[in-house]
Amino acid sequence: MQPLDWLILAVYFAILIAIGLWASSKRKKEGSLFLAERSLRWHHIGFSMWGTNVGPSMLIASASAGFTTGIVSGNYAWYAFVFIAMLAFVFAPRYLGAKVHTLPEFMGLRFGQSTRNILAWYTIVTIIISWLSLTLFAGGILIRQVFDIPMWASALVLLAISAFFTMLGGLKAVAYTNVYQMVLLIAVSVVLTIVGISHVGGIGALADKVPADYWVLFKPNSDEAFPWLPIVLGYPVMGVWFWCTDQSMVQPVLAARNLREGQLGTNFTGWLKILDVPLYILPGVICFALFPTLENPDEAYLTMVENLFPVGMVGLVFAVLTACLVSTIGSALNALSTVFTMDIYVKRFRPDASQRRINYVGRMVTVCGALIAIVLTVAIDSIKGLNLFNVFQSVLGFIAPPMTAVFLLGVFWSKATTRAANLALTVGTAFCLTIGVLYLWPPQWLQLPWPHFMMLSFLLCAALTVMMGVVSVVWPEQAGKTQLAQLPPHKPTALVVGLWTALAIVMVGLYLYFN
């Protein structure tokens, strides 16, 4: 970092804070912090969902995957369009029609208060651990390398910036700043990719300098890292959970001005996900062509930056990495305060609370959540000799099955019962996590020929779905007669249908071309 880099970084933060203050001034004085007065347009929704999905660890891990295996990991980005479409046409009409603030609230309408309580705490724990602590851990490592400060101070700096927007302007400030940050991310990533291809000698030269299977999306089932069948069957379990039922991801859609804006916003997210391969994975492939002797693939992204960018651009790249962190953490903090305030505080303790009181509690929850996240981040950093980030990504495959089974059956099968849903969320979650622990840390006395973790995730979800079906049939109850049955029918506009059709055609074309 040279003086010019520091100047660019300072300018970035000045603009970011200015946009956050401006967005906060647009919020009604006594308006809700949580859903931006349901005023978000399609571009706010698209950039916010994409920004929440992007993190510095994703940039580094994607480039690393590109360096070692080519574009096959792009399945996690491109296959997602199917489940983003499911959010647009299956879940969003129901969420917006029910006018819910949170997804636990939605499931409460379907299955009752007990399910809402379980899901509320389930969501809070997931946000604190996965969205906050692990993101802070990954970002804290970067901040610590640049500023040479302890992990707790790195986490505190990131949380202070993110919490500032969340507490001041709520989701509206987070959404508006996400637009600025993601445009900056795209610009810098495009420059890095173009400069890299230029140094290689063009796209043709790049294709010649890397193995042919680097350009294939579906590997044989014999491939240990990316067999095609576990991806095809297993990713939907994580895809439904992540894109359709996770509060941090779905909250911008809940805040849409109307259903049309929500469906257009999710469509925009689908188009943005196409960029994941050329902007995040392709730099790793380029790095392999330029620096094939690089010993640590995790250094592929920063190696490209260090060797290809002049003074000034390094500061811009660090600004982009910070932007990814602030975007993800800000969305997570807002989701955390929304779920606790609306599903626990208002529903269980103060149903008559004023909007001012609700906003106050939301801000206090933001502070408490940030403090807990700092403690967990420091605890994670104190554990040596274990790649916790990679382990946690695998664990996500074992967290997803219960949520996916409950939401799919809750929406598509009116006979699914509260008893079945609660069993899946409690006993089912405990069972899935136990399998996950045995898979990741198998004891000496239990050496099993485990399938790929994506296939295992699929099998667990299928087992929970069958269990819910059996329990619902054996112990039937009137669970289908809920407020969800009274939602008005919806018909997507011609523009929505046209844009989603175009996206589907492009995605099918990409899969055919790269296979």
Side-chain angles (χ1 to χ4, degrees), residues 268-292:
F268 186 38
T269 304
W271 289 104
L272 289 172
K273 288 297 292 178
I274 295 177
L275 299 179
D276 284 14
V277 172
L279 298 188
Y280 306 153
I281 297 175
L282 188 57
V285 179
I286 296 171
C287 185
F288 180 84
L290 292 174
F291 311 100

Side-chain angles (χ1 to χ4, degrees), residues 353-369:
S354 65
Q355 189 59 57
R356 174 178 293 183
R357 180 67 181 176
I358 290 173
N359 287 346
Y360 172 78
V361 172
R363 291 187 175 102
M364 292 302 100
V365 172
T366 300
V367 173
C368 293

Side-chain angles (χ1 to χ4, degrees), residues 185-197 279 309 313 316:
L185 170 63
I186 292 173
V188 173
S189 300
V190 166
V191 172
L192 180 62
T193 301
I194 292 176
V195 170
I197 292 175
L279 298 188
F309 274 179
M313 285 298 289
L316 198 57

Side-chain angles (χ1 to χ4, degrees), residues 39 74 247 266 387:
S39 63
Q247 181 72 26
T266 51
N387 190 331

